[in-house]
Amino acid sequence: MDAEAPVTADSGAYLVHVSLGTPAFPIVAIADTGSDVIWTQCQPCADCYTQTAPMFDPKSSTTYREISCSSETCTSLTDEGTSCSSDADVCHYQVTYGDGSNTSGDMATETLTLDSTAGRKVALPKTIFGCSHEGGGTFSPNASGIVGLGGGAASLVSQLGSTTGGKFSYCLASFGDDKPSTLTFGQSAAVSGGVSTPLLTDPRNPTFYFLRLDAISVGTKKIAFTGASGGGGGGNIIIDSGTTLTIVPKGVLSELADAVSSQVSGGTPVQVQGLDTCFEVEDSGSFEAPTLTMHFDGGADVELKTGNTFVEAEENVVCLAFAGSASLAIYGNVAQQNFRVGYDLKGETLSFEPADCTAGSSA
């Protein structure tokens, strides 16, 4: 029996459905492989972003326990943003994300409940999480917080520990598809088909999962992937379920945009603020974009369909699902849609298998 949880698409992010507390209280939070801390907004929350679902009230749970400043747990998580003020005994946390969004509050332990492959609930007592009393930024009102799936000590992956055998996987459905897909932990998460590439980590920053991308092909034109800052073990791009677009160095984006533009048909170039290489499309059936192939280390060639490479920016307008950066590189969630993405932390491999994520089967 392996733990799992439903995942649904929501405005550029993916929400994982779990429960917190005793009695179990439903939480819907962003599934994020690019961060570690598990957190949800908690009552009282005077300075929080608007949340549509009811907010977790720690006073209503019999298993909620604040983490003391003097505890080893608090001192061991300083890399995760924990700290203590001189006038408080409760361990405090504060996290700021890459887009400037932020959260802060109390660190606590609580029972986290997930579904399982056997159809029964799996309760994880004394899970470390952040009870957020302040936060804001770009968070969707449909999300109550974040479930960190990174490699750091506070993430759900790390807290599950040896029970997973170092394996987890997810399948992200297309935006606009209302059917849930699945986040799975343990042996059931193994991806046996598709292609695999080395999964690289950096001990100095264990949160991030790095891959090595050698080149990107646009049709028959191959573009070398250069200019990205290095990561652990020679990796040059972070795979992140919490980032929407794929971010590449500006030089690569320029070549990519030129190659795509020269091979697109059925669209008229238009400008859209904040996005690159956009086209007005009168008839979606007439728009044709070239196939993009991501050439990862180890011969892992991942072929992206139009839905992985273009996003609908507004009615009848589509834009390339890539953005430029000085040196940062992130493999975003649009590029991962309709692939079963399997992480094997012990085997140090990451696998991509084409799949219909709403059906749970290979494509």
Side-chain angles (χ1 to χ4, degrees), residues 223-254:
I223 301 166
F225 191 76
T226 58
S229 56
N236 61 4
I237 187 166
I238 296 163
I239 181 166
D240 184 7
S241 65
T243 295
T244 307
L245 304 180
T246 291
I247 300 172
V248 299
K250 290 179 179 178
V252 174
L253 179 64
S254 178

PDB file of all heavy atoms in Angstrom, residues 223-254:
ATOM      1  N   ILE A 223      19.468  23.390 -31.207  1.00  0.00           N
ATOM      2  CA  ILE A 223      20.013  24.547 -30.507  1.00  0.00           C
ATOM      3  C   ILE A 223      20.744  24.074 -29.260  1.00  0.00           C
ATOM      4  O   ILE A 223      20.148  23.427 -28.380  1.00  0.00           O
ATOM      5  CB  ILE A 223      18.888  25.531 -30.111  1.00  0.00           C
ATOM      6  CG1 ILE A 223      18.145  26.012 -31.360  1.00  0.00           C
ATOM      7  CG2 ILE A 223      19.434  26.693 -29.303  1.00  0.00           C
ATOM      8  CD1 ILE A 223      16.832  26.697 -31.053  1.00  0.00           C
ATOM      9  N   ALA A 224      22.027  24.372 -29.153  1.00  0.00           N
ATOM     10  CA  ALA A 224      22.804  23.971 -27.975  1.00  0.00           C
ATOM     11  C   ALA A 224      22.295  24.731 -26.753  1.00  0.00           C
ATOM     12  O   ALA A 224      22.002  25.928 -26.824  1.00  0.00           O
ATOM     13  CB  ALA A 224      24.287  24.255 -28.202  1.00  0.00           C
ATOM     14  N   PHE A 225      22.181  24.009 -25.635  1.00  0.00           N
ATOM     15  CA  PHE A 225      21.687  24.634 -24.403  1.00  0.00           C
ATOM     16  C   PHE A 225      22.894  25.137 -23.606  1.00  0.00           C
ATOM     17  O   PHE A 225      23.569  24.373 -22.914  1.00  0.00           O
ATOM     18  CB  PHE A 225      20.870  23.640 -23.581  1.00  0.00           C
ATOM     19  CG  PHE A 225      20.119  24.283 -22.443  1.00  0.00           C
ATOM     20  CD1 PHE A 225      18.967  25.010 -22.689  1.00  0.00           C
ATOM     21  CD2 PHE A 225      20.571  24.170 -21.136  1.00  0.00           C
ATOM     22  CE1 PHE A 225      18.278  25.619 -21.658  1.00  0.00           C
ATOM     23  CE2 PHE A 225      19.879  24.777 -20.098  1.00  0.00           C
ATOM     24  CZ  PHE A 225      18.733  25.501 -20.356  1.00  0.00           C
ATOM     25  N   THR A 226      23.173  26.425 -23.726  1.00  0.00           N
ATOM     26  CA  THR A 226      24.347  27.020 -23.084  1.00  0.00           C
ATOM     27  C   THR A 226      23.932  28.241 -22.276  1.00  0.00           C
ATOM     28  O   THR A 226      22.855  28.804 -22.469  1.00  0.00           O
ATOM     29  CB  THR A 226      25.384  27.454 -24.135  1.00  0.00           C
ATOM     30  OG1 THR A 226      24.756  28.394 -25.042  1.00  0.00           O
ATOM     31  CG2 THR A 226      25.879  26.263 -24.948  1.00  0.00           C
ATOM     32  N   GLY A 227      24.815  28.643 -21.365  1.00  0.00           N
ATOM     33  CA  GLY A 227      24.594  29.870 -20.614  1.00  0.00           C
ATOM     34  C   GLY A 227      23.862  29.711 -19.306  1.00  0.00           C
ATOM     35  O   GLY A 227      23.662  30.688 -18.577  1.00  0.00           O
ATOM     36  N   ALA A 228      23.443  28.488 -18.953  1.00  0.00           N
ATOM     37  CA  ALA A 228      22.724  28.265 -17.697  1.00  0.00           C
ATOM     38  C   ALA A 228      23.718  28.046 -16.567  1.00  0.00           C
ATOM     39  O   ALA A 228      24.726  27.371 -16.733  1.00  0.00           O
ATOM     40  CB  ALA A 228      21.794  27.063 -17.816  1.00  0.00           C
ATOM     41  N   SER A 229      23.427  28.636 -15.414  1.00  0.00           N
ATOM     42  CA  SER A 229      24.304  28.452 -14.258  1.00  0.00           C
ATOM     43  C   SER A 229      24.254  27.005 -13.797  1.00  0.00           C
ATOM     44  O   SER A 229      23.206  26.364 -13.845  1.00  0.00           O
ATOM     45  CB  SER A 229      23.883  29.379 -13.117  1.00  0.00           C
ATOM     46  OG  SER A 229      22.532  29.179 -12.769  1.00  0.00           O
ATOM     47  N   GLY A 230      25.384  26.487 -13.344  1.00  0.00           N
ATOM     48  CA  GLY A 230      25.491  25.077 -12.989  1.00  0.00           C
ATOM     49  C   GLY A 230      24.832  24.728 -11.675  1.00  0.00           C
ATOM     50  O   GLY A 230      24.643  25.563 -10.798  1.00  0.00           O
ATOM     51  N   GLY A 231      24.459  23.487 -11.557  1.00  0.00           N
ATOM     52  CA  GLY A 231      23.907  22.957 -10.324  1.00  0.00           C
ATOM     53  C   GLY A 231      24.706  21.758  -9.868  1.00  0.00           C
ATOM     54  O   GLY A 231      25.838  21.540 -10.292  1.00  0.00           O
ATOM     55  N   GLY A 232      24.107  20.983  -8.996  1.00  0.00           N
ATOM     56  CA  GLY A 232      24.792  19.826  -8.443  1.00  0.00           C
ATOM     57  C   GLY A 232      25.147  18.799  -9.496  1.00  0.00           C
ATOM     58  O   GLY A 232      24.349  18.474 -10.367  1.00  0.00           O
ATOM     59  N   GLY A 233      26.392  18.317  -9.455  1.00  0.00           N
ATOM     60  CA  GLY A 233      26.806  17.223 -10.323  1.00  0.00           C
ATOM     61  C   GLY A 233      26.795  17.543 -11.791  1.00  0.00           C
ATOM     62  O   GLY A 233      26.679  16.652 -12.628  1.00  0.00           O
ATOM     63  N   GLY A 234      26.895  18.838 -12.141  1.00  0.00           N
ATOM     64  CA  GLY A 234      26.895  19.217 -13.549  1.00  0.00           C
ATOM     65  C   GLY A 234      25.528  19.494 -14.122  1.00  0.00           C
ATOM     66  O   GLY A 234      25.395  19.709 -15.329  1.00  0.00           O
ATOM     67  N   GLY A 235      24.490  19.511 -13.296  1.00  0.00           N
ATOM     68  CA  GLY A 235      23.155  19.837 -13.782  1.00  0.00           C
ATOM     69  C   GLY A 235      23.070  21.294 -14.199  1.00  0.00           C
ATOM     70  O   GLY A 235      23.787  22.148 -13.677  1.00  0.00           O
ATOM     71  N   ASN A 236      22.171  21.599 -15.145  1.00  0.00           N
ATOM     72  CA  ASN A 236      22.053  22.984 -15.592  1.00  0.00           C
ATOM     73  C   ASN A 236      20.615  23.484 -15.679  1.00  0.00           C
ATOM     74  O   ASN A 236      20.372  24.611 -16.101  1.00  0.00           O
ATOM     75  CB  ASN A 236      22.759  23.171 -16.942  1.00  0.00           C
ATOM     76  CG  ASN A 236      22.166  22.297 -18.047  1.00  0.00           C
ATOM     77  OD1 ASN A 236      21.178  21.592 -17.840  1.00  0.00           O
ATOM     78  ND2 ASN A 236      22.787  22.329 -19.220  1.00  0.00           N
ATOM     79  N   ILE A 237      19.640  22.641 -15.265  1.00  0.00           N
ATOM     80  CA  ILE A 237      18.246  23.078 -15.284  1.00  0.00           C
ATOM     81  C   ILE A 237      17.496  22.389 -14.144  1.00  0.00           C
ATOM     82  O   ILE A 237      17.668  21.192 -13.892  1.00  0.00           O
ATOM     83  CB  ILE A 237      17.589  22.795 -16.660  1.00  0.00           C
ATOM     84  CG1 ILE A 237      16.186  23.419 -16.738  1.00  0.00           C
ATOM     85  CG2 ILE A 237      17.553  21.313 -16.989  1.00  0.00           C
ATOM     86  CD1 ILE A 237      15.619  23.470 -18.154  1.00  0.00           C
ATOM     87  N   ILE A 238      16.702  23.164 -13.409  1.00  0.00           N
ATOM     88  CA  ILE A 238      15.910  22.646 -12.292  1.00  0.00           C
ATOM     89  C   ILE A 238      14.565  22.176 -12.823  1.00  0.00           C
ATOM     90  O   ILE A 238      13.926  22.882 -13.607  1.00  0.00           O
ATOM     91  CB  ILE A 238      15.694  23.757 -11.236  1.00  0.00           C
ATOM     92  CG1 ILE A 238      17.025  24.201 -10.621  1.00  0.00           C
ATOM     93  CG2 ILE A 238      14.731  23.293 -10.151  1.00  0.00           C
ATOM     94  CD1 ILE A 238      16.934  25.533  -9.894  1.00  0.00           C
ATOM     95  N   ILE A 239      14.113  21.006 -12.406  1.00  0.00           N
ATOM     96  CA  ILE A 239      12.761  20.573 -12.760  1.00  0.00           C
ATOM     97  C   ILE A 239      11.842  20.966 -11.613  1.00  0.00           C
ATOM     98  O   ILE A 239      12.106  20.652 -10.447  1.00  0.00           O
ATOM     99  CB  ILE A 239      12.689  19.064 -13.075  1.00  0.00           C
ATOM    100  CG1 ILE A 239      11.259  18.681 -13.470  1.00  0.00           C
ATOM    101  CG2 ILE A 239      13.237  18.189 -11.950  1.00  0.00           C
ATOM    102  CD1 ILE A 239      11.125  17.316 -14.116  1.00  0.00           C
ATOM    103  N   ASP A 240      10.766  21.693 -11.943  1.00  0.00           N
ATOM    104  CA  ASP A 240       9.951  22.323 -10.909  1.00  0.00           C
ATOM    105  C   ASP A 240       8.467  22.263 -11.282  1.00  0.00           C
ATOM    106  O   ASP A 240       8.029  22.902 -12.236  1.00  0.00           O
ATOM    107  CB  ASP A 240      10.395  23.781 -10.743  1.00  0.00           C
ATOM    108  CG  ASP A 240       9.675  24.501  -9.623  1.00  0.00           C
ATOM    109  OD1 ASP A 240       8.923  23.852  -8.874  1.00  0.00           O
ATOM    110  OD2 ASP A 240       9.874  25.725  -9.490  1.00  0.00           O
ATOM    111  N   SER A 241       7.707  21.529 -10.480  1.00  0.00           N
ATOM    112  CA  SER A 241       6.262  21.432 -10.730  1.00  0.00           C
ATOM    113  C   SER A 241       5.538  22.709 -10.330  1.00  0.00           C
ATOM    114  O   SER A 241       4.371  22.898 -10.685  1.00  0.00           O
ATOM    115  CB  SER A 241       5.679  20.244  -9.947  1.00  0.00           C
ATOM    116  OG  SER A 241       5.798  20.472  -8.542  1.00  0.00           O
ATOM    117  N   GLY A 242       6.202  23.591  -9.582  1.00  0.00           N
ATOM    118  CA  GLY A 242       5.575  24.816  -9.103  1.00  0.00           C
ATOM    119  C   GLY A 242       5.801  26.030  -9.981  1.00  0.00           C
ATOM    120  O   GLY A 242       5.311  27.119  -9.676  1.00  0.00           O
ATOM    121  N   THR A 243       6.562  25.881 -11.069  1.00  0.00           N
ATOM    122  CA  THR A 243       6.789  26.968 -12.018  1.00  0.00           C
ATOM    123  C   THR A 243       6.049  26.651 -13.315  1.00  0.00           C
ATOM    124  O   THR A 243       6.125  25.528 -13.802  1.00  0.00           O
ATOM    125  CB  THR A 243       8.297  27.154 -12.299  1.00  0.00           C
ATOM    126  OG1 THR A 243       8.941  27.568 -11.088  1.00  0.00           O
ATOM    127  CG2 THR A 243       8.541  28.196 -13.370  1.00  0.00           C
ATOM    128  N   THR A 244       5.360  27.627 -13.869  1.00  0.00           N
ATOM    129  CA  THR A 244       4.513  27.367 -15.032  1.00  0.00           C
ATOM    130  C   THR A 244       5.316  27.260 -16.322  1.00  0.00           C
ATOM    131  O   THR A 244       5.294  26.230 -17.004  1.00  0.00           O
ATOM    132  CB  THR A 244       3.454  28.478 -15.179  1.00  0.00           C
ATOM    133  OG1 THR A 244       2.747  28.629 -13.944  1.00  0.00           O
ATOM    134  CG2 THR A 244       2.465  28.123 -16.275  1.00  0.00           C
ATOM    135  N   LEU A 245       6.020  28.323 -16.685  1.00  0.00           N
ATOM    136  CA  LEU A 245       6.775  28.351 -17.934  1.00  0.00           C
ATOM    137  C   LEU A 245       8.134  27.688 -17.766  1.00  0.00           C
ATOM    138  O   LEU A 245       8.647  27.560 -16.653  1.00  0.00           O
ATOM    139  CB  LEU A 245       6.974  29.803 -18.399  1.00  0.00           C
ATOM    140  CG  LEU A 245       5.716  30.652 -18.596  1.00  0.00           C
ATOM    141  CD1 LEU A 245       6.110  32.058 -19.051  1.00  0.00           C
ATOM    142  CD2 LEU A 245       4.761  30.012 -19.591  1.00  0.00           C
ATOM    143  N   THR A 246       8.734  27.282 -18.870  1.00  0.00           N
ATOM    144  CA  THR A 246      10.117  26.803 -18.849  1.00  0.00           C
ATOM    145  C   THR A 246      11.016  28.018 -19.062  1.00  0.00           C
ATOM    146  O   THR A 246      10.840  28.784 -20.005  1.00  0.00           O
ATOM    147  CB  THR A 246      10.347  25.746 -19.933  1.00  0.00           C
ATOM    148  OG1 THR A 246       9.621  24.559 -19.557  1.00  0.00           O
ATOM    149  CG2 THR A 246      11.813  25.404 -20.084  1.00  0.00           C
ATOM    150  N   ILE A 247      11.954  28.202 -18.156  1.00  0.00           N
ATOM    151  CA  ILE A 247      12.838  29.366 -18.173  1.00  0.00           C
ATOM    152  C   ILE A 247      14.210  28.951 -18.679  1.00  0.00           C
ATOM    153  O   ILE A 247      14.794  27.979 -18.184  1.00  0.00           O
ATOM    154  CB  ILE A 247      12.931  29.985 -16.767  1.00  0.00           C
ATOM    155  CG1 ILE A 247      11.532  30.435 -16.311  1.00  0.00           C
ATOM    156  CG2 ILE A 247      13.901  31.165 -16.755  1.00  0.00           C
ATOM    157  CD1 ILE A 247      11.454  30.880 -14.872  1.00  0.00           C
ATOM    158  N   VAL A 248      14.714  29.675 -19.660  1.00  0.00           N
ATOM    159  CA  VAL A 248      16.003  29.353 -20.271  1.00  0.00           C
ATOM    160  C   VAL A 248      16.829  30.633 -20.388  1.00  0.00           C
ATOM    161  O   VAL A 248      16.289  31.740 -20.342  1.00  0.00           O
ATOM    162  CB  VAL A 248      15.822  28.710 -21.667  1.00  0.00           C
ATOM    163  CG1 VAL A 248      15.040  27.400 -21.563  1.00  0.00           C
ATOM    164  CG2 VAL A 248      15.110  29.668 -22.626  1.00  0.00           C
ATOM    165  N   PRO A 249      18.155  30.518 -20.533  1.00  0.00           N
ATOM    166  CA  PRO A 249      18.973  31.711 -20.738  1.00  0.00           C
ATOM    167  C   PRO A 249      18.494  32.504 -21.953  1.00  0.00           C
ATOM    168  O   PRO A 249      18.001  31.938 -22.933  1.00  0.00           O
ATOM    169  CB  PRO A 249      20.375  31.137 -20.952  1.00  0.00           C
ATOM    170  CG  PRO A 249      20.359  29.837 -20.213  1.00  0.00           C
ATOM    171  CD  PRO A 249      18.977  29.297 -20.420  1.00  0.00           C
ATOM    172  N   LYS A 250      18.654  33.829 -21.890  1.00  0.00           N
ATOM    173  CA  LYS A 250      18.108  34.710 -22.935  1.00  0.00           C
ATOM    174  C   LYS A 250      18.642  34.377 -24.322  1.00  0.00           C
ATOM    175  O   LYS A 250      17.917  34.464 -25.313  1.00  0.00           O
ATOM    176  CB  LYS A 250      18.400  36.163 -22.574  1.00  0.00           C
ATOM    177  CG  LYS A 250      17.605  36.658 -21.375  1.00  0.00           C
ATOM    178  CD  LYS A 250      17.932  38.100 -21.032  1.00  0.00           C
ATOM    179  CE  LYS A 250      17.104  38.572 -19.832  1.00  0.00           C
ATOM    180  NZ  LYS A 250      17.435  39.972 -19.444  1.00  0.00           N
ATOM    181  N   GLY A 251      19.915  33.991 -24.406  1.00  0.00           N
ATOM    182  CA  GLY A 251      20.478  33.638 -25.704  1.00  0.00           C
ATOM    183  C   GLY A 251      19.804  32.427 -26.315  1.00  0.00           C
ATOM    184  O   GLY A 251      19.540  32.382 -27.533  1.00  0.00           O
ATOM    185  N   VAL A 252      19.501  31.443 -25.472  1.00  0.00           N
ATOM    186  CA  VAL A 252      18.799  30.239 -25.939  1.00  0.00           C
ATOM    187  C   VAL A 252      17.381  30.595 -26.360  1.00  0.00           C
ATOM    188  O   VAL A 252      16.882  30.129 -27.397  1.00  0.00           O
ATOM    189  CB  VAL A 252      18.787  29.150 -24.843  1.00  0.00           C
ATOM    190  CG1 VAL A 252      17.932  27.958 -25.258  1.00  0.00           C
ATOM    191  CG2 VAL A 252      20.204  28.692 -24.514  1.00  0.00           C
ATOM    192  N   LEU A 253      16.712  31.442 -25.571  1.00  0.00           N
ATOM    193  CA  LEU A 253      15.344  31.830 -25.897  1.00  0.00           C
ATOM    194  C   LEU A 253      15.287  32.542 -27.250  1.00  0.00           C
ATOM    195  O   LEU A 253      14.371  32.308 -28.045  1.00  0.00           O
ATOM    196  CB  LEU A 253      14.775  32.735 -24.808  1.00  0.00           C
ATOM    197  CG  LEU A 253      13.340  33.220 -25.047  1.00  0.00           C
ATOM    198  CD1 LEU A 253      12.367  32.045 -25.057  1.00  0.00           C
ATOM    199  CD2 LEU A 253      12.919  34.252 -24.005  1.00  0.00           C
ATOM    200  N   SER A 254      16.268  33.402 -27.514  1.00  0.00           N
ATOM    201  CA  SER A 254      16.293  34.126 -28.779  1.00  0.00           C
ATOM    202  C   SER A 254      16.380  33.172 -29.971  1.00  0.00           C
ATOM    203  O   SER A 254      15.621  33.296 -30.941  1.00  0.00           O
ATOM    204  CB  SER A 254      17.476  35.095 -28.794  1.00  0.00           C
ATOM    205  OG  SER A 254      17.548  35.783 -30.028  1.00  0.00           O
TER     206      SER A 254
END
